[in-house]
């Protein structure tokens, strides 16, 4: 019913870190990576990871998310987080109000048409909460290893938010590759 992405074992994935790649990360319940090494470097030292097994990722598309939002067993707070983070079934006005109420974005860009469909809005606290609860309520019960979100146009992040991969319990799924 949902589209998904498969990543082959041995595939290299990247994460930009402000610390050494050898540092053991404290919380890997929601671990964000990318398949774009250039993008990872923008966040700090590029660390390379290898998929230990085939990764089955839910695709965070509007079509898939609309189906998820209709499911009765997903908590209303998780549905709200999805709507605010991905703009699915939301307007830019909804997202701006939410961002202001959360104090997450003090300098929200000027938006010409707030009645347009929502767009990708990403910030650490929302992503972490969304990743944890969406994993518990939807991804884990359905056998997914995480999710994949393709690059999306957005007024909130200088025009484009790059693609991302979120894995839960990451070290069951990836291992550190020797950085070159």
């Amino acid at each position: 019913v949902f589209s998904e992405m498969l990543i082959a074992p041995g595939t290299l994935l990247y994460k930009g870190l402000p610390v050494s790649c050898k540092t053991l990360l404290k919380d890997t319940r929601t671990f964000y990576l990318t398949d774009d090494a250039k993008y990872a470097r923008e966040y700090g030292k590029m660390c390379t990871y290898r998929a230990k097994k085939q990764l089955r990722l839910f695709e965070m598309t509007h079509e898939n998310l609309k189906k998820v939002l209709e499911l009765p067993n997903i908590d209303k707070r998780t549905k709200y987080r999805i709507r605010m983070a991905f703009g699915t079934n939301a307007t830019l006005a909804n997202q701006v109000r939410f961002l202001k109420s959360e104090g997450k974005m003090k300098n929200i860009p000027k938006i010409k048409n707030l009645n347009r469909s929502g767009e990708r809005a990403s910030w650490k606290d929302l992503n972490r909460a969304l990743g944890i609860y969406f994993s518990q309520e939807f991804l884990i019960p359905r056998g997914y290893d995480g999710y994949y979100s393709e690059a999306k146009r957005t007024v909130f992040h200088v025009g484009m938010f790059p693609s991302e991969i979120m894995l839960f319990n990451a070290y069951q799924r990836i291992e550190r590759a020797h950085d070159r």
Side-chain angles (χ1 to χ4, degrees), residues 80-92:
Y80 186 68
R81 290 175 181 122
I82 288 169
R83 291 177 57 239
M84 293 304 105
F86 288 91
T88 304
N89 289 354
T91 64
L92 288 171

Side-chain angles (χ1 to χ4, degrees), residues 10 35 87 95 171:
D35 52 2
Q95 289 179 291
Y171 288 109

Side-chain angles (χ1 to χ4, degrees), residues 67-76 79 137 142:
K67 294 175 191 173
V68 168
L69 293 173
E70 293 174 2
L71 295 174
N73 59 337
I74 305 296
D75 186 274
K76 66 180 181 178
K79 290 179 181 181
E137 296 171 29
R142 287 167 178 79

Side-chain angles (χ1 to χ4, degrees), residues 11-16 33-43 46-48 148 151 160-165:
T11 300
L12 295 180
L13 302 170
Y14 311 97
K15 183 171 185 74
L33 303 125
T34 181
D35 52 2
D36 182 348
K38 180 182 169 192
Y39 175 60
R41 283 188 196 97
E42 292 177 18
Y43 278 85
M46 185 189 71
C47 303
T48 307
Y148 172 78
M160 184 63 79
F161 189 81
S163 64
E164 72 179 354
I165 296 167

Side-chain angles (χ1 to χ4, degrees), residues 108-174:
I108 295 173
K110 297 279 186 211
I111 301 171
K112 292 180 181 173
N113 181 359
L114 287 172
N115 293 321
R116 281 193 342 230
S117 295
E119 298 179 5
R120 182 68 165 106
S122 173
W123 60 97
K124 186 178 178 181
D125 296 341
L126 175 64
N127 291 344
R128 187 172 187 284
L130 175 61
I132 290 170
Y133 293 106
F134 187 57
S135 293
Q136 291 171 350
E137 296 171 29
F138 180 82
L139 298 174
I140 294 169
R142 287 167 178 79
Y144 291 107
D145 296 301
Y147 70 71
Y148 172 78
S149 178
E150 66 184 14
K152 296 186 182 337
R153 294 187 49 74
T154 178
V155 296
F156 299 112
H157 301 285
V158 195
M160 184 63 79
F161 189 81
S163 64
E164 72 179 354
I165 296 167
M166 186 284 294
L167 300 176
F168 58 87
N169 299 331
Y171 288 109
Q172 295 173 2
R173 293 160 172 76
I174 58 172

